[in-house]
Amino acid sequence: MARQQLEVLNALDVAKTQLYHFTAIVVAGMGFFTDAYDLFSISLLAKLLGRIYYTVPNSPKPGTLPPSVSSSVTGVALVGTLAGQLFFGWLGDKMGRKKVYGMTLLIMIICSIASGLSFGSSPKGVMTTLCFFRFWLGFGIGGDYPLSATIMAEYANKKTRGAFVAAVFAMQGFGILFGGIVSLIVSAGFDHAFKSPSYEQNAAASTPPQADYVWRIVLMFGSIPAALTFYWRMKMPETARYTALVAKNAKQAAQDMGRVLNVDIEAEEEKVERMAQQKGNNFGLLSKEFLKRHGLHLFGTTSTWFLLDIAFYSQNLFQKDVFSAIGWIPPAKTMNAIGEVYKIARAQTLIALCSTVPGYWFTVAFIDIIGRFAIQMIGFFFMTVFMFAIAIPYDHWSEKANRIGFVVMYGLTFFFANFGPNATTFVVPAEIFPARLRSTCHGISAASGKAGAIVGAYGFLYAAQNKDKSKTDAGFPPGIGVKNALIVLAVINLLGMICTLAVPEAKGKSLEEASQETIEESNEPQGA
């Protein structure tokens, strides 16, 4: 059975890498930049919020956010993201990628600014408004996952598609660095302008009233890069694959891509009509045909993303140990409130620079050479190895003489998360499903990942507490201990390797080949 490709789609598949590809990476990547900036900066500011709103007079230690408030402030954005991924993923297939794309960015810009304007006469009031706006910020960010991946995949050529989609995701690395740099500049400026003693010297004066501006300015800054790309997002034409294969408008698709590629493209309206009439191109998400063709693939993309994010978001478990191990962050009572933000930002930015960011770009460099499947397998394998290597001799690593080895292991775990499943789980769902279901299936896969993130960030926060009640963090019940929690995480990574076997390789294939969505010329003789 001969297979034919629409000329407009073939033109995209074989197009040389051009300026519009790089413009698309930056425009599509800004959502991830904002996503990473926001999630990263809130973890830097949590200690400051505790000092401002929850310090108990005459207490020997500065205030910290109660576990329920801490979980809500960081977790509510993850819940919003999960909801946004499902909703906008579905909407992107119903209304078109472009129509929905501006909406998500607008929500992000408005809610980033609103987060910094959170108001209230009591600590509870401020935290409630902050959580409200962070939920909707997450909702906008969630929509960017399926839409950005789908748009970039549908614009890219088949030779370097993996690298382009991975580069959109890698903008998270720049978001993390920008978050760290903004926090360093703002906290250094305020610390210099409003000098204050450490908590143990003078508890009341260690948190100057101006500290309340620090967290607000840092959160609001996240809206600026997103706002800068809004104009270009609105100027992008609808993807040819949506226009031709879903909206069935071959003429419009040929015109749009002719302008983008600067070539004349024939509008093949008959071919599109013939495609629309084929039974194999009309099945829905809940049909038996979808289950037969893509059921295993959807299981593969959802399960691997779920398992990866449990491990990835539980990194907070041993971040405390890492920083105190290197001596980058002294005890809280020896610092003032703004100085503490500076030291935490410096430590986290250095870790990001050394382990997190390089991993993303290794994926971009190698994904179209060794393929998605190999990178995902290698990543899960080494995450398993390093988690076991930290967990089993955990007591050995906690001795002062061995702490540098511990930090290296920690850094390598997250290097292989990013040069591995953290990037590939984002790329693959944008390639292996049919155009009319692509955004929806990516949204479902991404939402499954965010469910894993919620388990990782909160389930393991409780699980990793010390077995001895007297040694747990304030407000937490006893858990299974960090060592046992790490062993469980290593097993989760091992399961990720097994589930990767359900994910097909899309390297070097056109999207229509990878998703089995091509025109079948059944009226031609087999040997023709």
Side-chain angles (χ1 to χ4, degrees), residues 35-56:
D35 174 24
Y37 177 94
D38 170 70
L39 284 174
F40 185 72
S41 54
I42 200 74
S43 66
L44 303 180
L45 302 170
K47 289 265 197 299
L48 179 63
L49 290 170
R51 285 204 192 217
I52 295 170
Y53 296 108
Y54 291 93
T55 292
V56 179

Side-chain angles (χ1 to χ4, degrees), residues 373-400:
F373 181 83
I375 288 179
Q376 191 157 308
M377 274 295 196
I378 291 165
F380 269 131
F381 173 76
F382 280 108
M383 284 174 78
T384 308
V385 168
F386 289 121
M387 288 261 190
F388 272 129
I390 293 172
I392 293 166
Y394 188 72
D395 300 331
H396 165 82
W397 296 121
S398 53
E399 289 167 23
K400 204 159 191 174

Side-chain angles (χ1 to χ4, degrees), residues 42-229:
I42 200 74
S43 66
L44 303 180
L45 302 170
K47 289 265 197 299
L48 179 63
L49 290 170
R51 285 204 192 217
I52 295 170
Y53 296 108
Y54 291 93
T55 292
V56 179
N58 304 319
S59 167
K61 283 182 179 175
T64 55
L65 292 176
S68 60
V69 176
S70 176
S71 299
S72 302
V73 167
T74 41
V76 76
L78 295 177
V79 175
T81 305
L82 189 155
Q85 286 161 337
L86 291 171
F87 177 71
F88 285 112
W90 168 78
L91 208 59
D93 282 334
K94 281 278 166 274
M95 288 175 62
R97 318 341 181 181
K98 183 194 160 130
K99 278 185 185 151
V100 186
Y101 209 31
M103 273 188 243
T104 59
L105 201 65
L106 215 50
I107 293 170
M108 277 188 251
I109 295 165
I110 293 165
C111 293
S112 282
I113 295 167
S115 295
L117 298 174
S118 298
F119 51 85
S121 54
S122 66
K124 193 177 179 183
V126 175
M127 292 301 137
T128 305
T129 17
L130 179 61
C131 287
F132 174 80
F133 290 126
R134 285 182 57 71
F135 172 84
W136 291 108
L137 174 64
F139 191 68
I141 286 169
D144 240 50
Y145 274 73
L147 294 169
S148 290
T150 302
I151 285 171
M152 196 66 238
E154 291 183 345
Y155 262 111
N157 58 43
K158 64 181 177 185
K159 195 174 162 196
T160 54
R161 185 178 62 240
F164 288 152
V165 181
V168 167
F169 195 63
M171 293 290 279
Q172 282 194 333
F174 290 126
I176 288 169
L177 288 181
F178 187 65
I181 291 162
V182 169
S183 302
L184 285 171
I185 293 169
V186 173
S187 57
F190 271 79
D191 202 24
H192 183 73
F194 308 103
K195 289 188 167 36
S196 48
S198 69
Y199 188 85
E200 59 187 356
Q201 287 171 323
N202 184 336
S206 70
T207 308
Q210 294 82 0
D212 199 44
Y213 292 118
V214 172
W215 68 271
R216 295 174 185 277
I217 291 168
V218 172
L219 289 184
M220 289 163 83
F221 234 90
S223 64
I224 293 173
L228 291 176
T229 54

Side-chain angles (χ1 to χ4, degrees), residues 232-508:
W232 284 279
R233 214 175 246 216
M234 299 287 48
K235 292 270 287 182
M236 280 175 97
E238 181 58 87
T239 72
R241 287 183 158 93
Y242 183 86
T243 310
L245 301 176
V246 185
K248 310 281 190 285
N249 188 341
K251 197 174 172 186
Q252 187 65 50
Q255 274 176 6
D256 288 346
M257 291 309 108
R259 274 200 301 274
V260 169
L261 298 167
N262 290 324
V263 290
D264 288 328
I265 297 172
E266 184 193 342
E268 301 165 296
E269 287 162 330
E270 283 178 24
K271 249 191 212 179
V272 170
E273 277 172 33
R274 211 160 53 240
M275 243 182 140
Q277 286 158 11
Q278 280 174 6
K279 195 181 164 193
N281 288 333
N282 289 320
F283 58 85
L285 181 66
L286 302 174
S287 64
K288 278 185 185 167
E289 187 66 21
F290 178 86
L291 194 65
K292 192 172 88 180
R293 290 197 192 193
H294 298 291
L296 189 64
H297 301 162
L298 191 60
F299 167 76
T301 57
T302 50
S303 59
T304 50
W305 208 336
F306 176 76
L307 294 165
L308 161 83
D309 272 8
I310 293 177
F312 192 76
Y313 279 81
S314 64
Q315 62 182 303
N316 307 335
L317 292 185
F318 31 59
Q319 226 158 39
K320 284 192 307 237
D321 302 337
V322 171
F323 295 148
S324 55
I326 323 169
W328 279 348
I329 300 177
K333 62 183 179 181
T334 64
M335 299 178 279
N336 65 38
I338 300 172
E340 186 177 31
V341 173
Y342 181 85
K343 289 206 167 69
I344 295 172
R346 186 182 63 183
Q348 295 225 33
T349 308
L350 283 168
I351 288 261
L353 203 53
C354 298
S355 72
T356 312
V357 177
Y360 284 119
W361 293 102
F362 265 74
T363 302
V364 173
F366 292 106
I367 192 165
D368 288 311
I369 299 169
I370 62 175
R372 292 81 166 130
F373 181 83
I375 288 179
Q376 191 157 308
M377 274 295 196
I378 291 165
F380 269 131
F381 173 76
F382 280 108
M383 284 174 78
T384 308
V385 168
F386 289 121
M387 288 261 190
F388 272 129
I390 293 172
I392 293 166
Y394 188 72
D395 300 331
H396 165 82
W397 296 121
S398 53
E399 289 167 23
K400 204 159 191 174
N402 308 320
R403 282 173 167 180
I404 294 301
F406 171 71
V407 173
V408 170
M409 294 279 209
Y410 172 82
L412 283 169
T413 306
F414 291 99
F415 170 80
F416 280 106
N418 289 323
F419 178 45
N422 194 32
T424 53
T425 51
F426 175 77
V427 175
V428 175
E431 300 180 305
I432 61 171
F433 298 107
R436 67 187 178 283
L437 300 171
R438 187 169 289 138
S439 178
T440 306
C441 290
H442 195 288
I444 292 168
S445 305
S448 171
K450 274 295 168 281
I454 293 162
V455 173
Y458 303 103
F460 277 89
L461 196 61
Y462 285 86
Q465 293 299 320
N466 202 298
K467 295 176 192 172
D468 179 352
K469 181 139 180 60
S470 62
K471 292 180 182 172
T472 61
D473 292 344
F476 284 94
I480 58 173
V482 173
K483 179 176 176 169
N484 292 334
L486 285 169
I487 291 171
V488 173
L489 288 170
V491 172
I492 284 169
N493 288 323
L494 199 56
L495 286 174
M497 278 181 76
I498 296 164
C499 292
T500 297
L501 297 170
V503 179
E505 179 59 79
K507 175 171 82 86

